[in-house]
Amino acid sequence: MGGGGAGRPRGARRARAARPQDLYHLLLLAKDEEGYRNLVRLVSAAYVEGFYYKPRVDKELLYRYREGLVATTACMGGEVPSLVLAGRLDEARRALAEYVEIFGRDDFYVELQDQGLAEQRRLNPVLAELAREFGVRMIAANDAHYLRREDAEAHDVLLCIQTAKSVDEPDRLRFPSDEFFVKSGDEMAEALADYPEALDATLELADRLNVEIPLGRRHLPAFPVPAGYPDEAAYLRARCAERLPLRYPEPSEAVRERLAYELAVIERMGYASYFLIVSDFVDFARSRGIAVGPGRGSAASSIVAYVLGITDVDPLAYGLLFERFLNPDRVTLPDIDIDFEDERRDEVIRYVADKYGEDRVAQIITFGTMAARAAIRDVGRALGLPYARVDELAKLVPQGLEMTIERALRESPELARLYREDPEARRLLDLALRIEGLPRHASVHAAGIVIGPEPLTELVPLARVSDGAVVTQYAMGALEELGLLKMDFLGLRTLTVIERTRELAARLGESCDPDRIPLDDRATFELLSRGETDGVFQMESAGMREMLKELAPSSLEDVIAAVALFRPGPMENIPAFIAAKRSGEVRYPHPDLEPILKSTYGILVYQEQILQLAATMAGFTLSRADELRRGVAKKKREIIDALREEFVAGCLRRGHSRKLAEDLYDLVEKFANYGFNRAHATPYGLLAYKTAYLKAHHPAAFMAATLTSVAQSSEKVAAYIAECRRMGLRLLPPDVNESEVDFAPRDPRSIRFGLAAVRNLGRQAAEAVVAARRSGGRFRSLFDFARRVDARVCNRRALESLVKAGAFDSVEPNRARLLRGLEAALSEAHAAQRAASEGQVSLFGLLSPDRTAPEPELPPVPEPKPSERLAWEKEALGFYVSDHPLARHAKELARRARPIRDLASLADGAPVAVGGQVAGVRRITTRRGEPMAFLTIEDLAGTVDCVLFPRVYEACEALIGGGRPLVVEGRVSWRDERVSVVAERVTPLGEEGDDDG
């Protein structure tokens, strides 16, 4: 293991520039656990303190953390080899002496390599002589960048992918031979036959390296228990007793028994501190008015979590099983993941870092890997193959979770045929198979936080990423194996929307408490049943809207089931679920299962139902039933067969027939993979219902909050604007005298645009405008605005965007006059501000404090055409507000084309028609010299790119340039998770007549 470069100058670990010749490779190996810990410290320092283009440490740091480590001179990039190759032998001796001084003669080795390079043949005899001179041993090594010799070509392609080159480019980065693999003992003996002592020393060194990274230990931080409590478990019991009446004013015996059972399990498993830590930072969030989600994942199954306020879903009321979350047979830490409103999540992370120590809290790294289609496309580009050819092969890989090239070759007959018959396709796919699944890039996990009981550098290596955050160099799975406490702090936009809706509704005088809404509201269920779910949590996709229309949910249980069903796998149960609900004809595999399956109309939907089935029919404990669920989900045949025997035997003991037992186990085996976690679906179903309720009863406040939450995405804002219009809400343009920083309702039927949504303005400038208006009253003119709002914050470009967006229409409706007068207004304002800063007082100011100098007149300019005003709005806002060019074609558009936003729900190759304005055209010439084009079409709520191949382009070229709205018929095309349309026919929109709107 190594930690980057070792720099010559002391103090070089600080992030400052260093000469390339001062940075060298160094190989460090850990002999024991102390060496491993020192290696972790060095690697962390290299990335956190010494990163400058590359991670690095200096010799001072090497000396401090040398214990338990072995070092070698490394490859030709090492300091000693580099100096030898440069002919600086005396400096090489001095460097070698330094390393021997740091590590000692027994723990420093001279490394010999031979990959067939001329430099190595010159270098090795000199290194051997130096080793003898200094009395250190030599070892035989190979610079390995891939596992086997036959991986050399795939490695070369990978280099091309990383450097955006093709294999045919002459001056690109490449390795000089195919010898950079992990060689066998015989191969190493042949390569370095002249140095038998090095081969022997290598084996001796291997025997000295005895590091076993301790796994399975729990490294839980200690919670600071107040005085008077003997330990964390006692304090947890006291906290639960104190808070129990807040959740259950008159707790039943069932509540007390469940609480006592959970506390006993938590105490026995040593997790009391975990619950106290989570409860503490959730309490902090609530005390600061930071919205916290009702629950996420299995934690909602815990009555302890509910009583402590970690979750807001009563597990007894919703039949949630604690064993799905935690049971004595579980070896890994349970997950308590928390949703916070996205704009304030960082405050909670900061609180945790302050409480437990910044050196004990870090975010978690995650590695993006090359998926099947991406690997094919990347390899195709590296090989220089035509785009169309590579695209054809990539699209033959079926869409789906966990899809691999190997699986695609089994499931796609056409791909398999090309692999057999086409040498070019075979070569591409073979190379893609070799790089598929390799890490593509590292990034910060969206939510993961790790907390240690001691500085994390004692346990895991750390790194600093570009935004300054410190992350672990180990990913999630490794951290769990090491026993570190990992939690997800998730930023959930929906929580911000709910809180904002509460505030905006109050401004309108509407009573709105999202935490105390009726759960049987008719208007809410009617809204869901109509599929009017834009802005409703988890229910915005086209497929979900269609399902809701068919399902017509009439209870919160239906909403929870919808959340669980609309996912890959469970989706296959949707038709049966809807049919059973509509018909009322519910069939149960056995009468004893009615209490378990009644809420889902006899259909297995939730993982918890599998646990209950196994307990009811086969006599399993719930803990054992959860093992059954997890065992079947792992798809290991031997485990599945062994559990079948146990399940069937249990059913027989309870008097059930073997056939029923076998049928039930087949059902369990099928649904253990597809069943969804009810403990996760319940709080998310509650959030879905809550947002639907707010939309039904507080439409202006809810849609204003929703628009604000997506203000940085023009496409999403356009979609929600279209939804506002459908709802009958008026969207008023931004106004410097009316708008707030964010979107806000003016009354229950209209919403005013927020200033921060104007392009080129930014939040700081929007806040400056609002502050100036509040302190000095309404703006009387463009000149008045320019004088009062600091031009350093709101510059010319921002002012022009405000004018084009219509924000000055209330002081001057002719936007063309305002644009012509911008320079004069800015010049006059600049002069006034400069005079004020120099302490000058005008004559008018002396005569009357209320009078100001007369303003210049705006130049006389004709009113712009309506089409020009709309174009300016689109430029300044990214969408149309006062009108839409497609408004008069809305009915025909709905009749002839599918909304663009629905394309995401369609499969690759599905026939489709889209329509709208031409927002952009890019014309190119194919390799055959034929013209084709990429067309961007925009409808009322979205945009999509359409590919016009030569034949189609030739037929419709005149239509594209005419500015008339179009309908494009073709097929859906998915590429790199982006959807487009391959056009087959293009016709004008409006050719059926314009009398429909």
Side-chain angles (χ1 to χ4, degrees), residues 891-904:
K891 291 182 181 178
E892 184 190 346
L893 189 63
R895 186 169 60 248
R896 295 182 59 196
R898 185 153 188 157
I900 288 171
R901 66 176 183 173
D902 288 357
L903 297 184

Side-chain angles (χ1 to χ4, degrees), residues 568-586:
M571 274 184 170
E572 67 177 53
N573 296 321
I574 291 175
F577 187 93
I578 291 172
K581 173 178 165 57
R582 284 187 164 184
S583 68
E585 297 177 8
V586 180

Side-chain angles (χ1 to χ4, degrees), residues 294 312-313 318 519 556 560 681-691:
D312 274 330
V313 173
Y318 290 96
L519 299 180
L556 182 57
I560 294 168
T682 300
Y684 270 26
L686 189 60
L687 275 179
Y689 176 87
K690 189 177 287 190
T691 49

